[in-house]
């Protein structure tokens, strides 16, 4: 059941992230070509920056689901199991607390921003562009929670997720090289 | 006192494997609470949003994407063939090929781990088959891949330029000569090893074969031409070069007919996720940065250190040591985002060129990637070579010494990294 939810959420986030990446790529390329032909786009800076922000938070949620955020696990993995357990719980509580705070602050800001529009595209409400903060925070919480059982199991076994990820990458490349 | 408490909290969180971005943000929130009270908590959302919209960082997803598309598009084999035809006749030819191809891969390096896995999985098994030891093969791969971060395009350099408010284009230009020097140094050490262990040459030099492999690899060379030519020539900014690089990478993939939708999907995802991971760090650093600015911490650090010495060479030595140690424990992106904003006022007060310092920082972090505990490039190379990390490190010491020599030369002879910058920009 948990695996199915994970897979579905992962798939949704992956496709949305791909959509955002394609969008940003198109905007950057179109803007570069326009600029090189001497006709700069007025909305480029503002729109591209917003796209980057959306990639940041939707991508960060996906990275949380796969536990790919940059961390330092050597100390935690070096602790004896009971201390490791407590350390892990404290760390997860810190992460959840921060994103709950961010979701709350994001919602508060959205209320204040009602009726405001972008500078270059005056028909786009800022509430829409900044919705990424509360939504991104909630998604992060969900993804962190869904990936917790796997992270718990690996950490209790003393396995570094970074090393596991490297092994996985190496294995897939070795397979590819072997096929070539 | 508050500053010490926040610093200890940050270290404690990092030790508990809280993602560094979150640890940084939480430390910023503690600072905010202590100095501004609970009413200010709403600014968490504003800072986290502003931090993720830094326009100059749009170059990151574009370069990462271009690199990922190139990785998936069949460039590796052709590059290996070309470099092999070019320098494979030297004793220890495969080691030379490894270093030479890594230099090119630097051009398209988004994720060092993915690049090392892609390149190493082809070259390391070949090297082992030809009598190279596993640890030597892994050490060559790891050190040359780390050198790649000072050759444009480099994501740590983009992050540094944003953190230090300096020109990313100038920093790219500054990395070029030290990168080549480092590569030649690594090749020299590899050659000495090859002589000592009587490692084989690959093939006699053949102009016709060189020409053939060059033509085959020619489309792949469009990328450095666009990036280096465009930036050096002043036609495009780093972000624009990154956008054009994506088009070039895509066209190269189509040309080689190895770009299938599955590869492209993975390239997009890798690019998006790596960007998100780095950008979350950047966003979190805005929260922390706000607190540091209010507390005047960077200025206090500058005053304190300048009271001890105002000799900029000594300050550079201290900072070199500091960044080298930081690089042992933190990934380069995290190290830059955490530390650079704090030391920049010191750099300015000491009269050190921020572009020069940027190169010194990235080189330090490149060397830091060669030493456990945080050494993803080294660990990846070891995994491919199925070699023990300590055995690899024993060989790798010699290659690290080359990188350290380049670092010291770049630190104390600023004209090495800066003469091209002076020529093109000043």
């Amino acid at each position: 059941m948990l695996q199915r939810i994970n897979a579905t959420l992962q798939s949704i986030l992956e496709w949305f992230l791909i959509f955002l990446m394609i969008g940003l790529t198109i905007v950057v390329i179109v803007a570069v070509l326009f600029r090189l032909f001497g006709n700069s786009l007025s909305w480029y800076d503002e729109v591209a920056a917003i796209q980057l922000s959306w990639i940041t938070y939707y991508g960060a949620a996906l990275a949380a689901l796969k536990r790919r955020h940059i961390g330092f696990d050597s100390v935690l993995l070096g602790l004896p199991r009971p201390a490791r357990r407590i350390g892990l719980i404290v760390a997860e509580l810190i992460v959840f607390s921060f994103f709950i705070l961010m979701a709350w602050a994001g919602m508060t800001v959205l209320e204040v921003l009602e009726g405001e529009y972008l500078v270059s595209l005056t028909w786009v409400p800022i509430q829409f562009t900044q919705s990424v903060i509360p939504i991104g925070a909630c998604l992060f919480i969900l993804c962190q929670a869904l990936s917790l059982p796997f992270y718990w199991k690996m950490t209790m076994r003393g396995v570094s997720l970074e090393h596991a990820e490297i092994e996985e990458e190496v294995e897939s490349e070795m397979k590819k090289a072997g096929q070539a | 006192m508050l500053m010490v408490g926040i610093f200890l909290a940050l270290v404690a969180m990092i030790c508990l494997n809280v993602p560094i971005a979150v640890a940084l943000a939480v430390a910023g929130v503690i600072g905010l609470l202590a100095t501004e009270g609970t009413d200010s908590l709403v600014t968490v959302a504003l800072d986290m949003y502003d931090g993720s919209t830094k326009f100059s960082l749009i170059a990151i997803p574009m370069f990462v994407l271009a690199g990922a598309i190139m990785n998936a598009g069949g460039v590796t084999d052709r590059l290996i063939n070309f470099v092999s035809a070019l320098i494979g006749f030297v004793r220890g030819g495969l080691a030379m090929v490894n270093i030479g191809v890594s230099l090119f891969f630097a051009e398209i390096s988004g994720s060092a781990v993915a690049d090392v896995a892609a390149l190493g999985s082809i070259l390391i098994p070949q090297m082992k088959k030809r009598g190279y030891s596993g640890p030597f093969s892994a050490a060559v791969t790891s050190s040359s891949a780390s050198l790649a971060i000072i050759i444009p395009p480099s994501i740590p350099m983009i992050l540094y330029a944003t953190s230090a408010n300096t020109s990313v284009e100038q920093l790219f230009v500054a990395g070029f000569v030290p990168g080549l020097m480092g590569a030649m140094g690594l090749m020299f050490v590899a050659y000495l090893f090859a002589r000592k262990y009587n490692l084989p040459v690959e093939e006699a030099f053949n102009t016709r074969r060189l020409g053939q492999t060059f033509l085959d690899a020619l489309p792949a060379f469009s990328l450095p031409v666009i990036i280096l030519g465009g930036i050096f020539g002043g036609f495009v900014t780093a972000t624009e070069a990154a956008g054009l690089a994506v088009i070039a990478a895509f066209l190269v993939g189509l040309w080689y007919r190895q770009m299938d939708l599955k590869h492209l999907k993975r390239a997009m995802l890798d690019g998006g996720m790596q960007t998100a991971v780095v950008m979350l760090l950047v966003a979190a650093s805005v929260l922390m940065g706000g607190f540091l600015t209010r507390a005047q911490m960077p200025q206090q650090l500058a005053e304190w250190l300048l009271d001890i010495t105002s000799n900029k060479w000594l300050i550079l030595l201290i900072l070199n040591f500091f960044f080298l140690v930081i690089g042992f424990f933190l990934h380069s992106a995290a190290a830059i985002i955490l530390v650079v904003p704090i030391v920049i006022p010191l750099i300015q007060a000491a009269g050190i060129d921020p572009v020069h310092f940027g190169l010194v920082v990235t080189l330090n972090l490149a060397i830091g990637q060669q030493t456990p505990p945080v050494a993803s490039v080294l660990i990846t190379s070891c995994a491919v070579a199925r070699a023990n990390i300590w055995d690899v490190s024993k060989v790798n010491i010699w290659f690290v010494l080359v990188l350290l020599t380049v670092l010291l030369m770049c630190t104390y002879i600023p004209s090495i990294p800066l003469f091209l910058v002076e020529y093109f920009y000043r």
Side-chain angles (χ1 to χ4, degrees):
Chain A
M1 180 67 183
L2 184 67
Q3 268 180 342
R4 236 171 70 192
I5 297 172
N6 265 354
T8 311
L9 183 62
Q10 182 175 325
S11 182
I12 294 170
L13 284 174
E14 283 183 355
W15 283 110
F16 191 55
L17 187 61
I18 289 171
F19 166 75
L20 292 173
M21 286 294 282
I22 293 173
L24 179 63
T25 310
I26 292 172
V27 166
V28 171
I29 290 170
V30 168
V32 174
L33 296 178
F34 266 76
R35 217 266 302 158
L36 289 177
F37 289 107
N39 193 3
S40 298
L41 298 171
S42 61
W43 48 265
Y44 166 51
D45 293 22
E46 197 177 17
V47 171
I50 291 164
Q51 287 177 304
L52 183 62
S53 175
W54 280 45
I55 287 173
T56 302
Y57 288 104
Y58 288 102
L62 182 60
L65 192 61
K66 297 185 174 190
R67 294 278 166 165
R68 292 275 173 90
H69 283 282
I70 300 175
F72 178 70
D73 58 11
S74 305
V75 175
L76 185 69
L77 292 174
L79 293 175
R81 273 174 71 104
R84 201 185 310 160
R85 190 176 298 132
I86 295 168
L88 192 152
I89 293 169
V90 172
E92 292 298 303
L93 285 177
I94 290 171
V95 176
F96 286 124
S97 308
F98 173 72
F99 282 99
I100 290 169
L101 169 68
M102 193 171 122
W104 166 80
M107 284 308 293
T108 311
V109 169
L110 283 196
E111 283 168 26
V112 177
L113 288 172
E114 196 174 351
E116 305 267 341
Y117 294 86
L118 294 186
V119 179
S120 59
L121 298 177
T122 49
W123 47 274
V124 179
I126 295 184
Q127 265 193 342
F128 170 68
T129 60
Q130 292 219 8
S131 66
V132 70
I133 294 296
I135 295 174
C138 292
L139 273 175
F140 199 108
I141 293 168
L142 179 63
C143 291
Q144 186 84 0
L146 285 173
S147 58
L148 182 56
F150 171 68
Y151 174 58
W152 178 277
K153 201 169 80 185
M154 298 296 266
T155 307
M156 284 306 126
R157 275 196 211 153
V159 177
S160 162
L161 284 187
E162 192 189 359
H163 293 193
E165 183 197 332
I166 287 173
E167 286 287 341
E168 192 186 310
E169 179 82 36
V170 167
E171 211 166 281
S172 109
E173 288 294 342
M174 295 290 263
K175 228 181 258 171
K176 213 164 88 187
Q179 283 164 1
Chain B
M1 192 61 202
L2 174 66
M3 190 61 71
V4 175
I6 286 178
F7 176 72
L8 289 177
L10 182 63
V11 172
M13 284 188 280
I14 291 174
C15 287
L16 290 179
N17 199 23
V18 172
I20 295 176
V22 179
L24 200 55
V26 171
V29 170
I30 297 171
L32 198 67
L33 277 173
T35 53
E36 310 272 306
T38 48
D39 288 349
S40 62
L41 278 179
V42 77
T43 59
V44 168
L46 295 172
D47 284 351
M48 291 298 283
Y49 183 75
D50 285 346
S52 66
T53 55
K54 292 202 173 183
F55 181 76
S56 56
L57 296 178
I58 287 168
I60 294 179
M62 294 295 103
F63 277 132
V64 173
L65 188 57
I69 294 174
M70 284 287 239
N71 266 347
V75 171
T76 323
D77 298 342
R78 288 160 177 93
L79 276 178
I80 290 174
N81 290 341
F82 168 67
V83 181
S84 183
L86 186 70
I87 47 176
F89 65 91
V90 183
R91 187 157 293 284
L94 269 180
M96 308 295 165
V97 171
N98 197 330
I99 295 164
V101 178
S102 287
L103 266 196
F104 182 90
F105 252 70
E107 301 293 341
I108 57 175
S109 176
S111 152
V113 170
D115 288 350
V116 171
L119 186 62
S121 60
I122 296 172
L123 278 176
I124 292 178
Q126 278 187 36
M127 288 172 83
K128 286 170 78 174
K129 221 183 279 173
R130 299 280 285 147
Y132 295 72
S133 72
F136 176 75
S137 311
V140 170
T141 310
S142 174
S143 53
S144 54
S146 286
L147 179 69
I149 77 166
I150 64 162
I151 298 176
S154 150
I155 284 158
M157 279 183 173
I158 298 172
L159 286 171
Y160 172 87
T162 308
S163 301
N165 209 8
T166 188
S167 155
V168 66
E169 289 83 11
Q170 291 188 23
L171 205 50
F172 276 5
V173 172
F176 194 67
V177 173
L180 286 182
M181 280 171 50
M184 287 192 309
L186 294 180
M187 283 184 178
F188 178 68
V189 172
Y191 180 72
L192 294 181
F193 268 93
R195 289 282 299 267
K196 187 174 172 195
Y197 294 106
N198 198 24
L199 296 173
V201 293
E202 289 313 303
E203 55 202 309
F205 186 79
N206 179 328
T207 323
R208 203 170 141 200
R209 186 166 174 270
L210 182 65
Q212 273 171 354
T213 53
F214 175 74
L215 281 180
D216 198 27
L218 193 60
F221 291 132
S222 59
L223 211 62
V225 168
I226 289 171
I227 294 168
L228 299 182
I231 293 174
F232 281 32
F235 306 117
V236 290
T237 63
T239 308
E240 290 173 339
L244 294 175
V246 174
I247 305 182
F250 188 69
L251 292 178
V252 169
L254 288 181
W255 177 265
Y256 287 147
R257 295 171 186 225
Q258 277 183 314
M259 176 63 68
D260 59 35
L261 280 178
K262 201 174 136 203
H263 279 139
L264 195 62
K265 182 189 169 198
R266 195 171 163 209
M268 290 264 178
L269 271 179
D270 285 351
M273 221 155 48
Q274 280 162 34
T275 304
V277 165
V278 171
M279 286 304 300
L280 192 67
L281 265 169
V282 174
S285 75
V286 173
L287 258 179
M288 187 64 177
F291 166 66
L292 290 177
T293 310
R294 281 191 299 278
Q296 294 267 307
M297 194 263 190
Q299 287 73 11
Q300 283 174 16
L301 176 83
E303 277 171 26
W304 175 73
L305 203 60
L306 286 169
D307 277 347
I308 299 171
T309 175
S310 58
N311 182 330
K312 75 174 185 176
W313 305 115
L314 195 58
I315 290 174
L316 273 171
L317 184 71
I318 295 168
L319 289 174
N320 257 329
F321 184 73
F322 180 63
F323 272 96
L324 201 58
V325 173
I326 287 269
F328 294 164
F329 299 100
L330 289 179
H331 285 272
S332 49
I336 287 171
I337 291 163
L338 268 173
V339 183
V340 168
I342 298 173
V343 296
I344 277 300
L346 171 66
I347 295 306
Q348 286 163 341
I352 297 166
D353 187 317
V355 173
H356 176 212
F357 184 63
L359 189 90
V360 170
V361 168
T362 37
L363 247 175
N364 268 303
L365 297 174
I367 297 167
Q369 286 184 13
Q370 295 300 308
T371 46
V374 173
S376 45
V377 174
L378 181 70
I379 292 166
T380 310
S381 307
C382 294
V384 177
R386 307 271 172 236
N388 178 290
I389 195 163
W390 298 113
D391 293 339
V392 176
S393 295
K394 273 185 233 161
V395 182
N396 203 24
I397 284 174
W398 300 102
F399 293 102
V400 170
L401 276 177
V402 170
L403 299 179
L404 278 172
T405 309
V406 176
L407 170 65
L408 285 177
M409 286 172 75
C410 289
T411 306
Y412 291 107
I413 313 174
S415 57
I416 291 177
L418 290 182
F419 86 90
L420 276 182
V421 179
E422 299 279 347
Y423 179 75
F424 283 109
Y425 293 100
R426 295 175 182 176

